[in-house]
């Protein structure tokens, strides 16, 4: 049995390793080349990766709708839809990797990815300490910007969240240290380069889309080094490079309250925030929109992009045999964002309009997530019928 001093010595050594890895990562970010313009590529490969739980069901439906909308581009060879297997929890545990090597190679052979939800074993339960597949994919493909739009037209709410995707607690969340029967310590990392690029992504979006205000969300009064750095860099870049924008700042605790304040929430436009806060608050925002099943998410990098639902794999639905009744709306919203990213804006606009119709109170086909509603495939058929009529 190791004594306390041995555990402390091992923790110090581990922390040194982490610091060296993260400084090397920061240097790599500084030297990254220009971003790929997907709209100018002659051949675009869309990888369709189902994940597990309800993931394969809703991803297959989104793939079917994409295939319908892109049928001419597929026929001409401009677009290829490629299925990628092996990102199930069973295969990841068997390989003892968040993303098995062959799956990662297949993902990297694509340009953009449509990805279904994946399951991550919970810590403290005796389950294998397997890193989140999402976290691993964002790191391996350097998908630094998680972009989540939320709209409540009746209330004048039109939000876009820019969540930093490769730093914070998530990048090191599975690499903490423990002194048994004493304490545990996890790590959080914020880099200058990582903050600069997410800040510019948010500010560029705001300017291009006629927005006037960006809100920085931190807890810099408590996390003085990490969140303090994030806040400072965002303010410096905005003041120096984006004179038409106003940047205000809210702490994450009061920000969660402001989103449910019907008198105040329409005043917000674009948000920029670190990883963990972005994960939490975008689920709250999606719930206000109509539930996490209504929201899609884009994960954007310089050379790759991945699009997904913001919700999980819903294992309870599979356990009770209701997987075929899962709502694919979130994956279809993700597919809409994918279409825009690769330059198929007309098809994206058609899908967006169809989804608005198909999820309205007057919808002809209603999906509830239970056997009293439509199936996932029936909803997909409905979406394509509406697209055809537009």
């Amino acid at each position: 049995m190791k004594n306390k001093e041995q555990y402390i010595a091992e923790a110090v050594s581990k922390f040194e390793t982490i610091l060296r890895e993260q400084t090397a990562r920061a240097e790599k970010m500084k030297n990254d080349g220009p971003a790929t313009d997907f709209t100018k590529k002659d051949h675009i490969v869309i990888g369709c990766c189902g994940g597990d739980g309800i993931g394969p069901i809703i991803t297959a439906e989104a793939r079917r709708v994409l295939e319908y909308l892109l049928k001419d581009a597929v026929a001409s060879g401009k677009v290829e839809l490629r299925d990628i297997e092996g990102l199930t929890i069973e295969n990841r545990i068997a390989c003892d990797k968040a993303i098995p090597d062959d799956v990662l190679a297949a993902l990297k052979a694509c340009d953009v990815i449509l990805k279904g939800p994946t399951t991550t074993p919970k810590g403290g339960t005796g389950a294998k300490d397997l890193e989140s597949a999402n976290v691993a994919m964002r790191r391996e493909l350097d998908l630094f910007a998680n972009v989540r739009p939320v709209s409540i037209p009746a209330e004048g709410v039109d939000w876009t969240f820019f969540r930093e995707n490769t730093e914070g607690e998530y990048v090191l969340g599975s690499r903490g240290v423990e002194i048994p029967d004493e304490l545990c310590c996890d790590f959080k990392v914020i880099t200058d380069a990582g903050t600069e690029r997410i800040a510019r992504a948010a500010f560029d979006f705001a300017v291009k889309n006629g927005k006037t205000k960006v809100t920085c969300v931190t807890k810099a009064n408590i996390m003085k080094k990490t969140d303090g750095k994030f806040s400072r860099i965002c303010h410096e870049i905005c003041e120096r490079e984006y004179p038409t924008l106003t940047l205000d700042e809210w702490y994450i605790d009061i920000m969660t309250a402001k989103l449910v304040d019907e008198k105040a929430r329409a005043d917000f436009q674009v948000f920029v925030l670190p990883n963990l806060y972005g994960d939490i608050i975008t689920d709250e925002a999606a719930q206000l929109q109509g539930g996490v099943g209504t929201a899609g998410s884009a994960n954007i990098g310089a050379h790759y992009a991945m699009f997904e639902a913001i919700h999980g794999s819903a294992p309870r639905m599979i356990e009770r045999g209701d997987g075929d009744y899962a709502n694919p709306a979130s994956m279809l919203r993700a597919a809409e964002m994918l279409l825009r990213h690769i330059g198929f804006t007309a098809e994206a606009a058609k899908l967006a309009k169809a989804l608005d119709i198909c999820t309205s109170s007057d919808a002809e086909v209603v999906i509830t997530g239970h056997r009293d509603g439509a199936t996932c495939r029936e909803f997909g058929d409905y979406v394509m019928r509406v697209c055809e009529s537009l």
Side-chain angles (χ1 to χ4, degrees):
M1 173 70 77
K2 289 182 284 191
N3 62 40
K4 189 181 300 185
E5 291 303 317
Q6 288 174 308
Y7 279 111
I8 292 173
E10 288 177 3
V12 170
S13 176
K14 187 171 185 178
F15 190 45
E16 180 183 2
T17 298
I18 286 172
L19 286 174
R20 294 190 184 282
E21 288 176 358
Q22 292 305 307
T23 52
R25 186 178 68 87
E27 285 300 317
K28 184 176 182 297
M29 280 190 281
K30 293 176 186 176
N31 298 318
D32 199 12
T36 300
D37 185 347
F38 292 102
T39 65
K40 295 180 180 178
K41 288 180 69 81
D42 295 328
H43 182 67
I44 300 170
V45 180
I46 302 173
C48 300
C49 190
D52 46 48
I54 63 170
I57 299 168
I58 60 175
T59 304
E61 209 52 45
R63 184 198 192 284
R64 198 162 68 95
V65 172
L66 275 179
E67 193 169 29
Y68 161 76
L69 290 168
L70 295 172
K71 53 183 178 291
D72 292 340
V74 171
S76 69
K78 169 74 173 177
V79 171
E80 176 188 348
L81 292 165
R82 185 180 297 173
D83 294 317
I84 299 173
E85 306 292 340
L87 204 62
T88 62
I89 184 64
E90 294 83 6
N91 191 41
R92 286 182 283 134
I93 287 175
C95 296
D96 196 20
K97 289 196 171 184
I99 304 177
D101 292 342
D102 59 334
V103 178
L104 182 58
L107 291 168
K108 287 184 173 181
C110 301
D111 296 298
V112 295
I113 298 152
L114 183 70
K115 177 194 157 293
T118 50
T119 302
T120 303
K122 181 181 176 183
T125 63
K128 184 181 286 291
D129 282 339
L130 200 65
E131 183 182 33
S132 159
N134 268 12
V135 172
M137 192 179 300
R138 290 164 184 165
R139 181 184 65 249
E140 291 292 340
L141 304 183
D142 200 21
L143 306 175
F144 66 86
N146 184 272
V147 185
R148 296 184 177 183
V150 170
S151 175
I152 312 173
E155 298 183 20
V157 168
D158 182 16
W159 298 328
T160 306
F161 294 84
F162 281 78
R163 164 194 171 193
E164 203 295 317
N165 221 11
T166 59
E167 299 195 346
E169 296 83 352
Y170 286 55
V171 69
L172 299 173
S174 62
R175 298 181 62 186
V177 297
E178 179 177 5
I179 300 177
D181 303 319
E182 290 280 348
L183 60 86
C184 296
C185 182
D186 285 319
F187 301 110
K188 173 176 180 174
V189 61
I190 297 288
T191 66
D192 287 44
T195 304
E196 288 167 5
R197 64 184 186 177
I198 191 64
R200 288 194 176 94
F203 299 151
D204 285 344
F205 172 87
V207 170
K208 290 176 182 176
N209 289 275
K211 308 297 183 181
T212 58
K213 184 171 76 170
V214 178
T215 300
C216 178
V217 183
T218 69
K219 193 62 177 169
N221 57 333
I222 302 299
M223 306 299 291
K224 297 183 186 296
K225 295 296 185 185
T226 51
D227 287 14
K229 177 183 285 290
F230 190 94
S231 172
R232 175 179 57 78
I233 289 174
C234 285
H235 282 277
E236 288 175 352
I237 290 176
C238 188
E239 183 178 345
R240 185 175 65 242
E241 301 177 23
Y242 298 87
T244 62
L245 294 179
T246 298
L247 180 67
D248 64 354
E249 183 167 355
W250 293 78
Y251 295 141
I252 181 62
D253 44 357
I254 191 62
M255 190 75 254
T256 60
K258 284 297 177 182
L259 291 194
V260 297
D261 182 348
E262 295 180 4
K263 295 179 180 179
R265 62 191 184 196
D267 294 336
F268 297 100
Q269 298 176 353
V270 179
F271 301 81
V272 60
L273 60 177
N275 208 335
L276 178 61
Y277 310 144
D279 190 8
I280 294 168
I281 207 169
T282 52
D283 278 8
E284 180 194 18
Q287 188 65 34
L288 295 171
Q289 177 180 257
V292 293
T294 68
S297 173
N299 300 267
I300 309 298
H303 308 297
Y304 294 97
M306 181 265 282
F307 301 83
E308 61 180 342
I310 73 167
H311 58 72
S313 57
R316 291 184 184 89
M317 286 191 73
I318 299 299
E319 289 169 5
R320 67 174 186 256
D322 288 345
D324 287 339
Y325 296 87
N327 190 342
S330 55
M331 285 299 290
L332 291 168
R333 292 289 184 189
E336 175 208 333
M337 298 175 79
L338 185 156
L339 288 167
R340 292 188 193 282
H341 190 71
I342 62 174
F344 288 84
T345 54
E347 291 81 357
K350 182 178 285 190
L351 178 55
K353 189 172 182 179
L355 285 169
D356 288 342
I357 293 169
C358 294
T359 57
S360 71
S361 58
D362 299 326
E364 297 174 9
V365 175
V366 178
I367 193 161
T368 66
H370 301 278
R371 294 172 185 266
D372 60 350
T375 65
C376 182
R377 189 174 183 85
E378 287 169 343
F379 185 81
D381 288 339
Y382 180 39
V383 170
M384 286 187 284
R385 287 200 307 272
V386 173
C387 283
E388 188 67 32
S389 69
L390 295 175

